[in-house]
Amino acid sequence: MAKQNNLLIFILTIGVFGILNTEMGVIGILPSLAEHFNVSVSKAGLLVSLFALVIAVSGPTMPLLFSGINRKKVMLLVLGVFVVGNIVSIFTTNFSIALIARVIPALFHPIYCSLAFSVAAASVSKEEAPKAVSKVFIGVSAGMVVGVPIASFIASTISLHMAMVFFAVVNAIAFFATFLFVPSMPVTEKLSYGAQLSVLKKFVTWQSIVAVIFLNSAIFGVYSYLAEYLKTVTNMSSNTITIMLFVFGGANIIGNVLAGKLLTKNALSSVVLFPFVLGAVYILLFLFGHLSVPMAIITLFWGILAGVGGNINQYWIMSSAPEAPDFANGLFLTAANLGTTIGAAIGGLFISGLGTEYVVLVGILSLLLGSISIFLRNYMYSSTKQLSI
């Protein structure tokens, strides 16, 4: 049974990596895509921003609509849509078609990711659920921060088309692994749409959503400009920047493993302390970010904390609505994407107004607001009433 569960979680991790890799991997090849489709880099940026916007909109609705269908069939449907979308992107030379081939999979993105978290958590005991979810988060981290340099490397050393083939191959592997090794998972207790939507009547749910928006804004509002920061403030070369991006990505994966242990042992303390620890790292970044060696050490710890943060965000929303896990995970995806969008936008304003080194301010301000949201939830719902996954 344990072996079967481990295989299931491993396949879910590959699936999540393939989907997040499709979403974020294009960041590393945007200039090449702009040239390929004969559009400006800012227009090519729609391949990223529109994808994220569609996820934010479909996050709560799509997992809800598919919540009563056999989970294996739903996973195969989503992975199949991603494979087809990737193949269309490889062969089209029309930017509008490429955009459509991105938007349609983006609609299905929240279904697979919310299912992956729910299925992983349900495959083990309640006490071990954070650890199982943290393993799936390794796929999220790898897709978001490792897929970018990998796609960039393939495009620069082989070709742009092979970088896009890479996206399709990973999703195809996940599709066939799911088809062959994942057992049928019919939904035995189907929750009504009304029962799932009723979690939105709870104030604790909204408090948790607000906290996650701020916490993700704190992480990705600064990380979005890491390459720019390393170039203009730390004065690193292009090759060194690539290495630093890999360091951040690897550290992110370590953070996921660490988060599983922290949330299993003492979830509440981990959530409360997180903003203060990340805030301290940002202060060090502001003071020593212009020095190469300290910056390398800061990037390592920052990457670990970013990995921990993703798990904390998912736990915080899930723990506010454990009675509707698929819908709660959809809310998490929406809140996380909104946080990323808001943080990146405000970070850009700080950079244009004050300079690149001041991008840390978006992180510190977001952490402050996130802490207030966390303390309000804890104050209103004492430890005896605190819900757990």
Side-chain angles (χ1 to χ4, degrees), residues 270-292:
S270 302
V271 176
V272 170
L273 288 172
F274 174 76
F276 295 97
V277 179
L278 183 57
V281 169
Y282 280 162
I283 290 168
L284 291 172
L285 176 64
F286 183 75
L287 295 174
F288 303 105
H290 60 288
L291 302 170
S292 295

Side-chain angles (χ1 to χ4, degrees), residues 347-375:
L349 291 175
F350 276 118
I351 289 172
S352 60
L354 299 170
T356 306
E357 65 268 34
Y358 289 95
V359 72
V360 294
L361 292 177
V362 68
I364 291 167
L365 288 172
S366 297
L367 288 170
L368 182 64
L369 293 168
S371 283
I372 292 168
S373 300
I374 291 165
F375 277 112

Side-chain angles (χ1 to χ4, degrees), residues 179-200:
F179 181 77
L180 293 171
F181 302 112
V182 173
S184 177
M185 289 186 282
V187 178
T188 50
E189 293 179 29
K190 184 181 176 183
L191 285 171
S192 69
Y193 294 152
Q196 294 184 73
L197 286 167
S198 67
V199 302
L200 294 174

Side-chain angles (χ1 to χ4, degrees), residues 115-188:
L115 264 186
F117 298 137
S118 301
V119 169
S123 69
V124 295
S125 65
K126 285 187 178 182
E127 294 73 26
E128 293 294 309
K131 277 187 183 176
V133 171
S134 72
K135 289 175 183 175
V136 176
F137 254 104
I138 291 172
V140 175
S141 296
M144 293 188 80
V145 291
V146 180
V148 175
I150 289 174
S152 179
F153 175 77
I154 294 171
S156 60
T157 54
I158 307 172
S159 71
L160 174 64
H161 276 92
M162 285 309 296
M164 294 162 81
V165 167
F166 167 62
F167 302 149
V169 167
V170 176
N171 283 299
I173 290 169
F175 178 90
F176 287 111
T178 302
F179 181 77
L180 293 171
F181 302 112
V182 173
S184 177
M185 289 186 282
V187 178
T188 50

Side-chain angles (χ1 to χ4, degrees), residues 314-325:
Q314 189 271 345
Y315 169 82
W316 204 233
I317 289 184
M318 265 299 296
S319 63
S320 72
E323 66 272 33

Side-chain angles (χ1 to χ4, degrees), residues 130 258-267 270-271 308 311-312 315:
L258 180 63
K261 294 176 181 177
L262 290 172
L263 289 171
T264 303
K265 285 182 181 177
N266 197 329
S270 302
V271 176
V308 171
N311 286 264
I312 280 174
Y315 169 82

